[in-house]
Amino acid sequence: SAAADNLGLYVTGGDSNTVSDSWFTQAVSLAEGSDYNALSRLQIYGGGLAIDCNAGMGNCYGNSVSDSFITSIGDGLAISGSFLTTVSRSTITAGGSAGQTLLIQYGGSNQIIDSYIYSADGEGLYISEPNSVVGSTIITDGVGYPALALITASSTTVTGSFIRSTDGDGVMIDNQSNYNVISLSSMTANAPGRYALYITLSSSNSVLNSYVQGSSASLVSASTGTQLRGDELVSTGVNGVALALEGGNVNLTIATSTLRASATGRGLSL
């Protein structure tokens, strides 16, 4: 079909297939109605992997990617319109395009486990809808891009992960992203004027028992019900702030947390 042109592998409406120990120099795609397929020990170069199930025959369920290496100029892995997808023990990299190394949207209950995600020029991981990230590393060197962006991503959990941006925010929670929980994780941002943790226009988000470090460590703006509990917020900038609050936050809680800044900086800015 035309949809399969220039693809290394194309599956549509295919269930319970296994693809393993294979090398692809073109993109791999699972399309509408493809459920419970297992991809393992793959090496995909040049075109990335798409689990793209937004139209036609309907959503996709229960697909898995494990122990694989995926690299692309554009998006490394795009998961769209999918549920119960699991990506585990995999390396996903992208460079040369200001997109996302890993994009998850229009689905839910997908899991990223023990994986490495790197972007040379874009967002490392972009999530909307409820999903989870466990034990993973997310890094971007893209100018102005967050390593992890939660945009309209309600009820997403991030646990035991390392997140770093060289020249953007480490974690951005924005645009009605509600009830998300980040715990036991490390977030860093290297550039002045950026934040390791940036929460804005969102409600009931929690950051628990985590380490947050940046020139200014964190900013919470125009949000409701944010909880920071058991965290260490560290500002490394000469005039940096460990936690900045602006835009009329409501019901914010800071408990059993440490805020540190330089002698010329501020621990808390109201």
Side-chain angles (χ1 to χ4, degrees):
S1 72
D5 291 347
N6 301 314
L7 293 174
L9 174 67
Y10 179 72
V11 178
T12 182
D15 297 343
S16 302
N17 297 290
T18 298
V19 182
S20 63
D21 300 292
S22 299
W23 174 299
F24 297 92
T25 57
Q26 293 176 297
V28 172
S29 178
L30 302 183
E32 293 88 348
S34 296
D35 303 329
Y36 304 105
N37 298 287
L39 310 180
S40 64
R41 299 184 300 279
L42 303 186
Q43 296 189 56
I44 303 173
Y45 293 87
L49 168 63
I51 304 175
D52 188 1
C53 307
N54 273 330
M57 295 170 62
N59 300 119
C60 295
Y61 295 86
N63 295 293
S64 66
V65 180
S66 62
D67 303 297
S68 295
F69 178 84
I70 303 166
T71 187
S72 178
I73 297 299
D75 295 342
L77 171 56
I79 301 172
S80 186
S82 295
F83 296 83
L84 302 172
T85 304
T86 300
V87 179
S88 60
R89 301 180 305 278
S90 294
T91 294
I92 308 163
T93 69
S97 174
Q100 299 88 18
T101 296
L102 175 50
L103 169 66
I104 308 176
Q105 63 181 356
Y106 309 131
S109 300
N110 302 292
Q111 293 184 307
I112 310 301
I113 303 170
D114 297 334
S115 293
Y116 177 85
I117 302 160
Y118 171 76
S119 176
D121 184 19
E123 293 158 336
L125 172 56
Y126 179 106
I127 294 177
S128 67
E129 312 303 336
N131 296 283
S132 67
V133 180
V134 179
S136 295
T137 296
I138 308 164
I139 297 173
T140 182
D141 288 330
V143 176
Y145 289 96
L148 171 60
L150 304 182
I151 310 297
T152 64
S154 294
S155 301
T156 287
T157 61
V158 179
T159 307
S161 295
F162 175 81
I163 304 158
R164 188 192 77 201
S165 178
T166 300
D167 196 357
D169 300 314
V171 175
M172 173 184 286
I173 301 175
D174 194 0
N175 192 23
Q176 302 303 313
S177 290
N178 306 325
Y179 301 103
N180 301 289
V181 178
I182 300 173
S183 63
L184 301 170
S185 294
S186 175
M187 294 153 268
T188 64
N190 296 343
R194 303 292 183 178
Y195 298 91
L197 173 65
Y198 178 30
I199 301 174
T200 184
L201 299 172
S202 298
S203 299
S204 303
N205 293 289
S206 300
V207 180
L208 312 173
N209 303 311
S210 293
Y211 181 79
V212 183
Q213 177 185 301
S215 178
S216 283
S218 56
L219 171 64
V220 181
S221 173
S223 294
T224 300
T226 302
Q227 296 197 45
L228 306 175
R229 296 180 181 271
D231 300 315
E232 186 171 2
L233 310 177
V234 179
S235 168
T236 59
V238 173
N239 297 309
V241 179
L243 173 60
L245 305 176
E246 64 179 35
N249 294 288
V250 177
N251 293 333
L252 181 139
T253 299
I254 307 168
T256 61
S257 294
T258 301
L259 282 63
R260 290 195 289 152
S262 69
T264 55
R266 286 170 290 174
L268 178 64
S269 175
L270 298 172

